[in-house]
Amino acid sequence: MSRTSRPAVEERPVTMDWSRGALAGPAAQERVRNLGQLQGLFYDVASWRQIDPAKIVYRVRWWEPVPEGTEGGLFWGTTIVEPGRVGDEYFMTHGHSHLRGNRAEIYSTISGEGSLLLSEGGGRVRLEPMTAGSMHYIRGDVAHRAANVGERPLVFVACWPSDARHDYGGIVSKGFGAHLVCRNGIPTLLGDGPNAR
Ligand code: PAN
Ligand code: ZN
């Protein structure tokens, strides 16, 4: 019988620290979004202007084990949304829809308190509470965004098809459908009419 030898410890492309949701390793990519890059998304423009544009709102670390666009492949990522508000609107991810409308996604919360906004079109926006251990199935044709409604960072993981492709422009031009604001300490959805933006 022939044997091949290989090192006992191979370098892993990425590893997950499940207690913190931290994704690390040579294959991990990172994107950081500050307030300046989220121009036009928060409805209270005057408040948005008053905050330092360099303030970090969220960071994503993700792993693409196959090239983007590969049919049948999967990507994996961790998002950390900082606590904070613009006026009374909670810090949130940009939000996007998948260009391929039959490419679903799963989110699961590691820590913090959030709200998953699911925009089904026609101004219909649904909320799912995000707390440690919560699982969220996001249909392929539903735009999605996560807001941090707590006082600590909101950390969640996501798994999505490598050929889903993200459409950010639709949300910039048409809006998300609603804004999540703090009213008397309670997360409340505000309609996204022309005057609200
Ligand atoms: C997530 C998001 C991540 C950041 O991995 O990409 O939370 O949000 P934005 O992409 O809206 O900036 C996901 O939904 N992937 O498909
Ligand atoms: Zn997505």
Side-chain angles (χ1 to χ4, degrees):
M1 193 171 73
S2 73
R3 288 172 193 270
T4 53
S5 69
R6 51 189 174 137
V9 180
E10 287 179 48
E11 188 176 27
R12 297 191 165 95
V14 289
T15 54
M16 273 289 293
D17 173 345
W18 285 97
S19 63
R20 296 185 301 121
L23 191 68
Q29 305 187 53
E30 185 174 56
R31 187 173 70 231
V32 179
R33 284 275 177 264
N34 61 36
L35 258 188
Q37 293 166 315
L38 299 176
Q39 181 171 18
L41 299 181
F42 294 92
Y43 83 96
D44 183 347
V45 178
S47 295
W48 176 80
R49 282 209 189 94
Q50 278 165 18
I51 310 176
D52 179 1
K55 177 141 183 79
I56 290 171
V57 179
Y58 65 97
R59 56 188 89 225
V60 191
R61 288 179 74 85
W62 79 101
W63 177 36
E64 299 188 358
V66 291
E68 171 150 37
T70 302
E71 198 174 315
L74 292 171
F75 291 166
W76 175 265
T78 296
T79 303
I80 302 175
V81 186
E82 297 299 326
R85 292 180 209 157
V86 174
D88 59 6
E89 186 169 8
Y90 297 102
F91 276 13
M92 61 189 182
T93 58
H94 185 291
H96 62 262
S97 52
H98 292 168
L99 274 174
R100 302 192 77 170
N102 61 359
R103 295 300 193 263
E105 174 161 14
I106 284 183
Y107 279 11
S108 182
T109 312
I110 301 281
S111 57
E113 272 183 89
S115 205
L116 176 60
L117 287 83
L118 299 166
S119 177
E120 298 177 332
R124 284 188 310 277
V125 176
R126 233 165 30 80
L127 295 181
E128 288 186 8
M130 300 176 79
T131 55
S134 66
M135 294 285 298
H136 308 273
Y137 180 80
I138 302 169
R139 263 184 12 224
D141 59 344
V142 166
H144 41 286
R145 157 183 286 171
N148 185 343
V149 302
E151 308 295 329
R152 295 180 296 145
L154 169 69
V155 184
F156 64 91
V157 292
C159 185
W160 66 100
S162 39
D163 60 351
R165 303 229 186 239
H166 292 168
D167 175 18
Y168 293 99
I171 284 168
V172 173
S173 58
K174 291 184 245 145
F176 191 84
H179 296 269
L180 191 64
V181 301
C182 177
R183 288 287 150 89
N184 303 319
I186 298 166
T188 307
L189 270 182
L190 262 194
D192 192 4
N195 299 327
R197 304 187 67 236

